[in-house]
């Protein structure tokens, strides 16, 4: 089969160019698509992840549609297909690779595609969460990544060196993490519903015993990401229940039912 990248003119919507890459057939979840992983760009190149059972492939094209480089990152064994997206940090393309088979967090040189660093991870249930970079006044910048088997990890973005790690999760991670004022919020779940939310302090000097600020196990989103705004954490549930929590206490302020199902 083929996967396509389309470049459209932002003003007119007219297609400027399209490119494609061949992949092997692989299974996916009914809610997933072959294009769930979002491309990322630094203004001169666009970077895309593709996956089948045989390989996880990162490819870079320039803004004229010329392939600059591609990097085969090894086999990709997942229950529901690819969903996580790459991100850019400085001159590095950060590639999440949390799967049933050999798992890792990988940083590629954005200009050449060469591996800058690679941090091995415990394999397990495939994660669909996208990593994020958080900044602290004392701690500098941290790369936050999560999965069921590895929990939440903080690594140094230029080296991949581990700063801290939480306990593992009771279920799959789909939604990407969000952050507010030194707190990181993460959900996990399964079977169409969220089952666990945790708020963690991002400060690397905090002890593992005091890192958790609050936990919640009811009325949670599974696939939809949380939203942070004005000391509030909004939980938009898959089954149409919206919950507002107070930050940093986790106290429930209100809840409202919205018709429909959501991803």
């Amino acid at each position: 089969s083929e996967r396509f990248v389309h470049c459209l003119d932002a003003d007119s919507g007219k297609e400027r160019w399209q490119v494609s890459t061949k992949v092997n057939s692989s299974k996916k979840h009914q809610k997933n698509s072959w294009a769930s992983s979002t491309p990322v760009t630094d203004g001169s190149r666009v970077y895309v992840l593709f996956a089948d059972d045989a390989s996880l492939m990162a490819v870079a094209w320039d803004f004229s549609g010329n392939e600059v480089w591609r990097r085969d990152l090894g086999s990709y064994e997942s229950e529901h297909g690819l969903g996580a997206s790459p991100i850019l940090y400085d001159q590095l393309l950060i590639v999440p690779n949390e799967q049933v088979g050999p798992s890792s967090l990988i940083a590629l040189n954005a200009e050449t595609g060469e591996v800058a660093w690679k941090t091995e991870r415990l394999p397990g249930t495939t994660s669909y969460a996208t990593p994020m970079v958080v900044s602290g006044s004392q701690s500098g910048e941290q790369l936050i990544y999560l999965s069921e088997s590895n929990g939440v990890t903080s690594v140094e973005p230029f080296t991949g060196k581990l700063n801290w790690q939480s306990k593992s999760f009771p279920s799959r991670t789909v939604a990407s993490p969000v952050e507010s004022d030194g707190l990181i919020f993460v959900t996990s779940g399964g079977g169409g519903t969220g089952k666990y939310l945790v708020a963690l302090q991002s400060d690397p000097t905090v002890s593992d015993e005091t890192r958790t600020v609050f936990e919640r196990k009811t009325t949670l989103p599974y696939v939809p990401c949380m939203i942070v705004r004005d000391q509030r954490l909004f939980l938009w549930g898959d089954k149409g229940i919206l919950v507002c929590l107070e930050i940093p206490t986790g106290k429930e302020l209100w809840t409202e039912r919205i018709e429909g199902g959501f991803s």
Side-chain angles (χ1 to χ4, degrees):
S1 61
E2 277 186 293
R3 310 283 164 83
F4 293 88
V5 175
H6 302 269
C7 175
L8 307 183
D9 184 280
D11 292 326
S12 67
K14 182 180 178 181
E15 184 172 85
R16 293 186 175 184
W17 50 261
Q18 74 169 31
V19 291
S20 68
T21 189
K22 292 190 181 302
V23 295
N24 298 319
S25 60
S26 59
K27 56 186 179 294
K28 68 173 182 65
H29 191 276
Q30 62 180 5
K31 280 190 173 182
N32 203 2
S33 81
W34 302 120
S36 292
S37 179
T38 304
V40 65
T41 181
D42 53 15
S44 60
R45 291 175 293 271
V46 60
Y47 308 90
V48 188
L49 290 185
F50 301 100
D52 55 32
D53 292 343
S55 68
L56 175 65
M57 185 75 66
V59 189
W61 284 276
D62 66 20
F63 273 27
S64 297
N66 302 306
E67 184 174 312
V68 181
W69 56 259
R70 67 174 51 215
R71 174 69 57 175
D72 189 333
L73 300 170
S75 62
Y76 189 78
E77 182 184 353
S78 102
E79 303 91 344
H80 301 321
L82 177 67
S85 303
I87 65 170
L88 283 161
Y89 176 80
D90 204 294
Q91 298 299 309
L92 297 175
L93 181 72
I94 309 296
V95 178
N97 180 25
E98 199 81 33
Q99 52 161 305
V100 177
S103 299
S104 57
L105 184 60
I106 307 165
L108 302 178
N109 182 301
E111 187 173 347
T112 66
E114 296 297 320
V115 176
W117 55 258
K118 180 178 180 180
T119 300
E120 300 295 336
R121 310 266 292 179
L122 289 173
T125 305
T126 306
S127 178
Y128 294 86
T130 294
M132 70 180 300
V133 175
V134 300
S135 300
S137 56
Q138 304 296 324
S139 58
E141 293 182 313
Q142 305 174 62
L143 179 60
I144 305 297
Y145 190 33
L146 58 140
S147 70
E148 177 187 36
S149 52
N150 294 279
V152 178
T153 56
S154 162
V155 304
E156 204 285 319
F158 281 116
T159 65
K161 179 179 177 292
L162 183 69
N163 293 318
W164 56 265
Q165 183 169 10
S166 77
K167 64 182 180 181
S168 61
F169 288 134
S171 47
R172 182 192 302 278
T173 55
V174 176
S176 301
V178 293
E179 182 264 349
S180 175
D181 295 329
L183 294 182
I184 296 165
F185 305 97
V186 176
T187 56
S188 69
T193 185
K195 297 181 178 180
Y196 178 67
L197 180 155
V198 63
L200 302 167
Q201 297 188 68
S202 63
D203 186 345
T205 65
V206 171
S207 68
D208 292 340
E209 292 72 26
T210 60
R211 187 169 300 283
T212 298
V213 178
F214 69 82
E215 298 174 304
R216 180 183 171 95
K217 298 180 180 178
T218 60
T219 325
L220 297 172
Y222 172 39
V223 176
C225 293
M226 296 173 283
I227 298 173
V228 169
R229 173 83 179 193
D230 298 334
Q231 302 302 304
R232 300 289 186 265
L233 182 66
F234 297 96
L235 316 176
W236 193 298
D238 306 61
K239 297 178 180 178
I241 299 178
L242 176 61
V243 179
C244 177
L245 304 183
E246 182 181 67
I247 298 173
T249 64
K251 176 185 175 183
E252 184 175 310
L253 298 178
W254 53 261
T255 181
E256 183 174 332
R257 177 169 291 281
I258 299 149
E259 290 303 317
F262 301 90
S263 290

